[in-house]
Amino acid sequence: FDSWTDMGGKDFRETWPCRDLLSFEGSNATTCSWLNLTAIVGVFPSTTSASSGGVSLVSVGGNVTLRGGKLKPYCKTGGSSTCDAYNASTSQTVSMQTATNAVTPSVVLVTASRVGSCDNVSINAMLSNGHGGRPWTSATWSVYALDGDGAVDVTSVRATLSSYGTSLGQLLTIPRAYFKSGKITLSLTLTNFFGKSSTGSVAFTVVNDPLVPNVYIAGAPM
């Protein structure tokens, strides 16, 4: 707010349902508190609890409405008669915007550096973070064959990875039949609900050797 308020009768550090003063998608399940006389902080429920309760949460670009008649200017005099004469605010609506310091995704892809002729290719993207407590908005894959297009069926590999959508909490498996031999690079671009995006890549070599161990150590690149 652009001036001090009476905080709608709330106290500092008191938590209350956001619906008491505000209306937005998910306000019934979101907890608010006053940071100071002009700023409210809201804490959304976890994605798991919101989904299980059938609650949708407001996203960037969604409307946030101040309920009419709920908020008055801060009364500096302390005189009750003067304070009672202050008019309550009318209903006002603003659009939710991305914070200037919104979290940016960190994309981490892990796989074995060499894949033999008898193994499928397993990609681990589970260490990626920065989703902001919400499901990823989008996950976009790119496939590059560093030894020529004949080393990989690019269309099938991309289609297989895209079929997982934004469900990255599992190993992503690509059939070995889509690869011949050579060095392959996979890139993943993740976008969170703040609209922030980042890209990560992993490279591996497919060899025509059935005895190559399929080993990788989970973790971000050093």
mmCIF file of all heavy atoms in Angstrom, residues 112-151:
data_model
loop_
_atom_site.group_PDB
_atom_site.id
_atom_site.type_symbol
_atom_site.label_atom_id
_atom_site.label_comp_id
_atom_site.label_asym_id
_atom_site.label_seq_id
_atom_site.Cartn_x
_atom_site.Cartn_y
_atom_site.Cartn_z
ATOM 1 N N ALA A 112 25.022 -41.677 -17.302
ATOM 2 C CA ALA A 112 26.322 -42.326 -17.459
ATOM 3 C C ALA A 112 27.074 -41.673 -18.622
ATOM 4 O O ALA A 112 26.469 -41.287 -19.626
ATOM 5 C CB ALA A 112 26.133 -43.818 -17.717
ATOM 6 N N SER A 113 28.381 -41.547 -18.490
ATOM 7 C CA SER A 113 29.164 -40.901 -19.548
ATOM 8 C C SER A 113 29.277 -41.779 -20.791
ATOM 9 O O SER A 113 29.455 -41.273 -21.900
ATOM 10 C CB SER A 113 30.564 -40.553 -19.032
ATOM 11 O OG SER A 113 31.249 -41.731 -18.624
ATOM 12 N N ARG A 114 29.163 -43.121 -20.604
ATOM 13 C CA ARG A 114 29.213 -44.060 -21.724
ATOM 14 C C ARG A 114 28.074 -45.055 -21.582
ATOM 15 O O ARG A 114 27.835 -45.571 -20.490
ATOM 16 C CB ARG A 114 30.554 -44.799 -21.765
ATOM 17 C CG ARG A 114 31.716 -43.919 -22.234
ATOM 18 C CD ARG A 114 33.066 -44.561 -21.903
ATOM 19 N NE ARG A 114 33.244 -45.871 -22.497
ATOM 20 C CZ ARG A 114 33.689 -46.084 -23.747
ATOM 21 N NH1 ARG A 114 33.997 -45.051 -24.515
ATOM 22 N NH2 ARG A 114 33.844 -47.303 -24.207
ATOM 23 N N VAL A 115 27.380 -45.298 -22.669
ATOM 24 C CA VAL A 115 26.245 -46.224 -22.668
ATOM 25 C C VAL A 115 26.538 -47.329 -23.665
ATOM 26 O O VAL A 115 26.826 -47.066 -24.833
ATOM 27 C CB VAL A 115 24.938 -45.502 -23.039
ATOM 28 C CG1 VAL A 115 23.774 -46.492 -23.052
ATOM 29 C CG2 VAL A 115 24.659 -44.361 -22.077
ATOM 30 N N GLY A 116 26.485 -48.586 -23.192
ATOM 31 C CA GLY A 116 26.778 -49.734 -24.044
ATOM 32 C C GLY A 116 25.606 -50.123 -24.913
ATOM 33 O O GLY A 116 24.508 -49.560 -24.846
ATOM 34 N N SER A 117 25.831 -51.139 -25.705
ATOM 35 C CA SER A 117 24.830 -51.544 -26.698
ATOM 36 C C SER A 117 23.642 -52.285 -26.091
ATOM 37 O O SER A 117 22.625 -52.479 -26.767
ATOM 38 C CB SER A 117 25.491 -52.423 -27.763
ATOM 39 O OG SER A 117 26.129 -53.553 -27.171
ATOM 40 N N CYS A 118 23.744 -52.717 -24.823
ATOM 41 C CA CYS A 118 22.652 -53.480 -24.212
ATOM 42 C C CYS A 118 21.829 -52.660 -23.218
ATOM 43 O O CYS A 118 20.911 -53.201 -22.589
ATOM 44 C CB CYS A 118 23.217 -54.705 -23.490
ATOM 45 S SG CYS A 118 23.923 -55.942 -24.593
ATOM 46 N N ASP A 119 22.156 -51.396 -23.040
ATOM 47 C CA ASP A 119 21.485 -50.580 -22.023
ATOM 48 C C ASP A 119 20.662 -49.462 -22.646
ATOM 49 O O ASP A 119 21.079 -48.832 -23.627
ATOM 50 C CB ASP A 119 22.507 -49.944 -21.076
ATOM 51 C CG ASP A 119 23.257 -50.970 -20.254
ATOM 52 O OD1 ASP A 119 22.593 -51.840 -19.658
ATOM 53 O OD2 ASP A 119 24.502 -50.889 -20.206
ATOM 54 N N ASN A 120 19.491 -49.212 -22.047
ATOM 55 C CA ASN A 120 18.750 -48.009 -22.373
ATOM 56 C C ASN A 120 19.470 -46.803 -21.771
ATOM 57 O O ASN A 120 20.316 -46.946 -20.880
ATOM 58 C CB ASN A 120 17.323 -48.083 -21.826
ATOM 59 C CG ASN A 120 16.483 -49.137 -22.528
ATOM 60 O OD1 ASN A 120 16.642 -49.359 -23.732
ATOM 61 N ND2 ASN A 120 15.611 -49.789 -21.785
ATOM 62 N N VAL A 121 19.136 -45.630 -22.241
ATOM 63 C CA VAL A 121 19.725 -44.401 -21.692
ATOM 64 C C VAL A 121 18.798 -43.868 -20.602
ATOM 65 O O VAL A 121 17.612 -43.633 -20.845
ATOM 66 C CB VAL A 121 19.913 -43.338 -22.788
ATOM 67 C CG1 VAL A 121 20.452 -42.042 -22.191
ATOM 68 C CG2 VAL A 121 20.852 -43.853 -23.870
ATOM 69 N N SER A 122 19.343 -43.709 -19.391
ATOM 70 C CA SER A 122 18.566 -43.184 -18.261
ATOM 71 C C SER A 122 19.052 -41.779 -17.926
ATOM 72 O O SER A 122 20.250 -41.576 -17.696
ATOM 73 C CB SER A 122 18.703 -44.089 -17.035
ATOM 74 O OG SER A 122 18.130 -45.364 -17.294
ATOM 75 N N ILE A 123 18.129 -40.833 -17.884
ATOM 76 C CA ILE A 123 18.440 -39.444 -17.565
ATOM 77 C C ILE A 123 17.822 -39.106 -16.212
ATOM 78 O O ILE A 123 16.632 -39.353 -15.974
ATOM 79 C CB ILE A 123 17.889 -38.482 -18.635
ATOM 80 C CG1 ILE A 123 18.398 -38.880 -20.024
ATOM 81 C CG2 ILE A 123 18.275 -37.041 -18.313
ATOM 82 C CD1 ILE A 123 19.889 -38.797 -20.192
ATOM 83 N N ASN A 124 18.633 -38.539 -15.321
ATOM 84 C CA ASN A 124 18.163 -38.144 -13.997
ATOM 85 C C ASN A 124 18.124 -36.616 -13.945
ATOM 86 O O ASN A 124 19.162 -35.958 -14.012
ATOM 87 C CB ASN A 124 19.108 -38.699 -12.928
ATOM 88 C CG ASN A 124 18.621 -38.417 -11.521
ATOM 89 O OD1 ASN A 124 17.793 -37.540 -11.295
ATOM 90 N ND2 ASN A 124 19.144 -39.159 -10.554
ATOM 91 N N ALA A 125 16.900 -36.060 -13.845
ATOM 92 C CA ALA A 125 16.736 -34.607 -13.715
ATOM 93 C C ALA A 125 16.185 -34.225 -12.352
ATOM 94 O O ALA A 125 15.761 -33.091 -12.129
ATOM 95 C CB ALA A 125 15.802 -34.092 -14.810
ATOM 96 N N MET A 126 16.206 -35.186 -11.404
ATOM 97 C CA MET A 126 15.552 -34.985 -10.112
ATOM 98 C C MET A 126 16.245 -33.958 -9.220
ATOM 99 O O MET A 126 15.653 -33.462 -8.263
ATOM 100 C CB MET A 126 15.440 -36.329 -9.377
ATOM 101 C CG MET A 126 14.425 -37.273 -9.999
ATOM 102 S SD MET A 126 14.198 -38.809 -9.063
ATOM 103 C CE MET A 126 15.590 -39.774 -9.669
ATOM 104 N N LEU A 127 17.499 -33.625 -9.497
ATOM 105 C CA LEU A 127 18.208 -32.635 -8.680
ATOM 106 C C LEU A 127 17.963 -31.208 -9.158
ATOM 107 O O LEU A 127 18.452 -30.260 -8.535
ATOM 108 C CB LEU A 127 19.711 -32.936 -8.694
ATOM 109 C CG LEU A 127 20.138 -34.242 -8.027
ATOM 110 C CD1 LEU A 127 21.647 -34.451 -8.172
ATOM 111 C CD2 LEU A 127 19.753 -34.247 -6.553
ATOM 112 N N SER A 128 17.224 -31.059 -10.222
ATOM 113 C CA SER A 128 16.876 -29.715 -10.680
ATOM 114 C C SER A 128 16.003 -29.030 -9.635
ATOM 115 O O SER A 128 15.154 -29.659 -9.001
ATOM 116 C CB SER A 128 16.130 -29.779 -12.018
ATOM 117 O OG SER A 128 16.943 -30.363 -13.026
ATOM 118 N N ASN A 129 16.207 -27.748 -9.429
ATOM 119 C CA ASN A 129 15.458 -27.026 -8.405
ATOM 120 C C ASN A 129 15.137 -25.615 -8.886
ATOM 121 O O ASN A 129 15.569 -25.202 -9.962
ATOM 122 C CB ASN A 129 16.238 -26.999 -7.089
ATOM 123 C CG ASN A 129 17.608 -26.368 -7.242
ATOM 124 O OD1 ASN A 129 17.730 -25.141 -7.321
ATOM 125 N ND2 ASN A 129 18.659 -27.189 -7.320
ATOM 126 N N GLY A 130 14.390 -24.889 -8.036
ATOM 127 C CA GLY A 130 13.983 -23.540 -8.408
ATOM 128 C C GLY A 130 12.586 -23.469 -8.970
ATOM 129 O O GLY A 130 12.229 -22.512 -9.660
ATOM 130 N N HIS A 131 11.762 -24.478 -8.658
ATOM 131 C CA HIS A 131 10.387 -24.469 -9.163
ATOM 132 C C HIS A 131 9.477 -23.556 -8.358
ATOM 133 O O HIS A 131 8.335 -23.305 -8.742
ATOM 134 C CB HIS A 131 9.800 -25.885 -9.178
ATOM 135 C CG HIS A 131 10.037 -26.653 -7.920
ATOM 136 N ND1 HIS A 131 9.411 -26.364 -6.742
ATOM 137 C CD2 HIS A 131 10.871 -27.701 -7.663
ATOM 138 C CE1 HIS A 131 9.820 -27.214 -5.803
ATOM 139 N NE2 HIS A 131 10.711 -28.031 -6.339
ATOM 140 N N GLY A 132 9.979 -23.038 -7.225
ATOM 141 C CA GLY A 132 9.190 -22.096 -6.445
ATOM 142 C C GLY A 132 8.032 -22.723 -5.692
ATOM 143 O O GLY A 132 7.063 -22.051 -5.344
ATOM 144 N N GLY A 133 8.128 -24.021 -5.416
ATOM 145 C CA GLY A 133 7.061 -24.681 -4.674
ATOM 146 C C GLY A 133 5.848 -25.058 -5.506
ATOM 147 O O GLY A 133 4.832 -25.502 -4.980
ATOM 148 N N ARG A 134 5.941 -24.878 -6.810
ATOM 149 C CA ARG A 134 4.849 -25.236 -7.720
ATOM 150 C C ARG A 134 5.391 -26.215 -8.760
ATOM 151 O O ARG A 134 6.609 -26.311 -8.949
ATOM 152 C CB ARG A 134 4.325 -23.997 -8.453
ATOM 153 C CG ARG A 134 3.871 -22.846 -7.563
ATOM 154 C CD ARG A 134 2.443 -23.000 -7.104
ATOM 155 N NE ARG A 134 2.011 -21.798 -6.412
ATOM 156 C CZ ARG A 134 1.358 -20.790 -6.987
ATOM 157 N NH1 ARG A 134 1.080 -20.855 -8.281
ATOM 158 N NH2 ARG A 134 0.980 -19.747 -6.290
ATOM 159 N N PRO A 135 4.509 -26.924 -9.455
ATOM 160 C CA PRO A 135 4.978 -27.736 -10.594
ATOM 161 C C PRO A 135 5.660 -26.851 -11.631
ATOM 162 O O PRO A 135 5.340 -25.663 -11.760
ATOM 163 C CB PRO A 135 3.686 -28.358 -11.144
ATOM 164 C CG PRO A 135 2.725 -28.320 -10.001
ATOM 165 C CD PRO A 135 3.056 -27.077 -9.231
ATOM 166 N N TRP A 136 6.613 -27.418 -12.353
ATOM 167 C CA TRP A 136 7.233 -26.675 -13.437
ATOM 168 C C TRP A 136 6.175 -26.249 -14.450
ATOM 169 O O TRP A 136 5.279 -27.021 -14.786
ATOM 170 C CB TRP A 136 8.292 -27.525 -14.144
ATOM 171 C CG TRP A 136 9.473 -27.880 -13.297
ATOM 172 C CD1 TRP A 136 9.783 -29.118 -12.816
ATOM 173 C CD2 TRP A 136 10.507 -27.003 -12.852
ATOM 174 N NE1 TRP A 136 10.951 -29.061 -12.083
ATOM 175 C CE2 TRP A 136 11.417 -27.765 -12.091
ATOM 176 C CE3 TRP A 136 10.751 -25.631 -13.018
ATOM 177 C CZ2 TRP A 136 12.553 -27.215 -11.497
ATOM 178 C CZ3 TRP A 136 11.878 -25.069 -12.426
ATOM 179 C CH2 TRP A 136 12.757 -25.862 -11.683
ATOM 180 N N THR A 137 6.286 -25.036 -14.960
ATOM 181 C CA THR A 137 5.351 -24.566 -15.974
ATOM 182 C C THR A 137 5.597 -25.267 -17.302
ATOM 183 O O THR A 137 4.657 -25.633 -18.018
ATOM 184 C CB THR A 137 5.469 -23.043 -16.153
ATOM 185 O OG1 THR A 137 5.170 -22.403 -14.911
ATOM 186 C CG2 THR A 137 4.507 -22.539 -17.219
ATOM 187 N N SER A 138 6.863 -25.470 -17.643
ATOM 188 C CA SER A 138 7.178 -26.154 -18.890
ATOM 189 C C SER A 138 8.544 -26.807 -18.804
ATOM 190 O O SER A 138 9.409 -26.380 -18.024
ATOM 191 C CB SER A 138 7.147 -25.190 -20.080
ATOM 192 O OG SER A 138 8.183 -24.226 -19.985
ATOM 193 N N ALA A 139 8.724 -27.858 -19.587
ATOM 194 C CA ALA A 139 10.006 -28.552 -19.718
ATOM 195 C C ALA A 139 10.218 -28.827 -21.211
ATOM 196 O O ALA A 139 9.426 -29.536 -21.830
ATOM 197 C CB ALA A 139 9.999 -29.867 -18.934
ATOM 198 N N THR A 140 11.268 -28.235 -21.778
ATOM 199 C CA THR A 140 11.518 -28.330 -23.213
ATOM 200 C C THR A 140 12.872 -28.974 -23.468
ATOM 201 O O THR A 140 13.892 -28.524 -22.917
ATOM 202 C CB THR A 140 11.477 -26.933 -23.866
ATOM 203 O OG1 THR A 140 10.215 -26.308 -23.560
ATOM 204 C CG2 THR A 140 11.649 -27.042 -25.371
ATOM 205 N N TRP A 141 12.889 -30.006 -24.291
ATOM 206 C CA TRP A 141 14.104 -30.777 -24.551
ATOM 207 C C TRP A 141 14.678 -30.460 -25.934
ATOM 208 O O TRP A 141 13.933 -30.224 -26.888
ATOM 209 C CB TRP A 141 13.815 -32.274 -24.470
ATOM 210 C CG TRP A 141 13.477 -32.761 -23.102
ATOM 211 C CD1 TRP A 141 12.238 -32.861 -22.543
ATOM 212 C CD2 TRP A 141 14.402 -33.207 -22.108
ATOM 213 N NE1 TRP A 141 12.327 -33.350 -21.259
ATOM 214 C CE2 TRP A 141 13.647 -33.569 -20.970
ATOM 215 C CE3 TRP A 141 15.799 -33.351 -22.070
ATOM 216 C CZ2 TRP A 141 14.238 -34.062 -19.809
ATOM 217 C CZ3 TRP A 141 16.387 -33.837 -20.915
ATOM 218 C CH2 TRP A 141 15.616 -34.184 -19.803
ATOM 219 N N SER A 142 16.005 -30.505 -26.016
ATOM 220 C CA SER A 142 16.719 -30.413 -27.296
ATOM 221 C C SER A 142 17.712 -31.565 -27.363
ATOM 222 O O SER A 142 18.255 -31.990 -26.332
ATOM 223 C CB SER A 142 17.456 -29.081 -27.424
ATOM 224 O OG SER A 142 16.552 -27.986 -27.408
ATOM 225 N N VAL A 143 17.924 -32.082 -28.557
ATOM 226 C CA VAL A 143 18.818 -33.225 -28.768
ATOM 227 C C VAL A 143 19.836 -32.859 -29.847
ATOM 228 O O VAL A 143 19.463 -32.373 -30.920
ATOM 229 C CB VAL A 143 18.025 -34.478 -29.212
ATOM 230 C CG1 VAL A 143 18.958 -35.679 -29.341
ATOM 231 C CG2 VAL A 143 16.884 -34.769 -28.242
ATOM 232 N N TYR A 144 21.111 -33.097 -29.547
ATOM 233 C CA TYR A 144 22.178 -32.777 -30.492
ATOM 234 C C TYR A 144 23.070 -34.002 -30.688
ATOM 235 O O TYR A 144 23.547 -34.593 -29.709
ATOM 236 C CB TYR A 144 23.032 -31.615 -29.984
ATOM 237 C CG TYR A 144 22.231 -30.367 -29.646
ATOM 238 C CD1 TYR A 144 21.833 -30.120 -28.334
ATOM 239 C CD2 TYR A 144 21.860 -29.461 -30.631
ATOM 240 C CE1 TYR A 144 21.091 -28.999 -28.011
ATOM 241 C CE2 TYR A 144 21.121 -28.329 -30.331
ATOM 242 C CZ TYR A 144 20.743 -28.104 -29.010
ATOM 243 O OH TYR A 144 20.000 -26.980 -28.696
ATOM 244 N N ALA A 145 23.274 -34.382 -31.930
ATOM 245 C CA ALA A 145 24.186 -35.480 -32.265
ATOM 246 C C ALA A 145 25.501 -34.867 -32.729
ATOM 247 O O ALA A 145 25.571 -34.294 -33.828
ATOM 248 C CB ALA A 145 23.579 -36.363 -33.347
ATOM 249 N N LEU A 146 26.540 -34.967 -31.896
ATOM 250 C CA LEU A 146 27.800 -34.295 -32.203
ATOM 251 C C LEU A 146 28.587 -35.018 -33.295
ATOM 252 O O LEU A 146 29.524 -34.452 -33.860
ATOM 253 C CB LEU A 146 28.641 -34.182 -30.934
ATOM 254 C CG LEU A 146 27.971 -33.428 -29.769
ATOM 255 C CD1 LEU A 146 28.946 -33.259 -28.623
ATOM 256 C CD2 LEU A 146 27.446 -32.074 -30.215
ATOM 257 N N ASP A 147 28.192 -36.269 -33.591
ATOM 258 C CA ASP A 147 28.875 -37.026 -34.637
ATOM 259 C C ASP A 147 28.010 -37.184 -35.877
ATOM 260 O O ASP A 147 28.180 -38.112 -36.663
ATOM 261 C CB ASP A 147 29.297 -38.406 -34.109
ATOM 262 C CG ASP A 147 30.370 -38.304 -33.045
ATOM 263 O OD1 ASP A 147 31.202 -37.388 -33.134
ATOM 264 O OD2 ASP A 147 30.355 -39.133 -32.120
ATOM 265 N N GLY A 148 27.034 -36.281 -36.052
ATOM 266 C CA GLY A 148 26.163 -36.350 -37.220
ATOM 267 C C GLY A 148 24.782 -36.853 -36.858
ATOM 268 O O GLY A 148 24.593 -37.574 -35.867
ATOM 269 N N ASP A 149 23.794 -36.459 -37.637
ATOM 270 C CA ASP A 149 22.410 -36.816 -37.346
ATOM 271 C C ASP A 149 22.158 -38.315 -37.373
ATOM 272 O O ASP A 149 21.185 -38.802 -36.797
ATOM 273 C CB ASP A 149 21.485 -36.127 -38.356
ATOM 274 C CG ASP A 149 21.476 -34.609 -38.182
ATOM 275 O OD1 ASP A 149 21.841 -34.154 -37.087
ATOM 276 O OD2 ASP A 149 21.119 -33.915 -39.150
ATOM 277 N N GLY A 150 23.026 -39.076 -38.041
ATOM 278 C CA GLY A 150 22.822 -40.516 -38.113
ATOM 279 C C GLY A 150 23.064 -41.233 -36.807
ATOM 280 O O GLY A 150 22.747 -42.418 -36.671
ATOM 281 N N ALA A 151 23.639 -40.550 -35.812
ATOM 282 C CA ALA A 151 23.968 -41.187 -34.536
ATOM 283 C C ALA A 151 22.750 -41.353 -33.636
ATOM 284 O O ALA A 151 22.803 -42.107 -32.665
ATOM 285 C CB ALA A 151 25.046 -40.377 -33.812
#
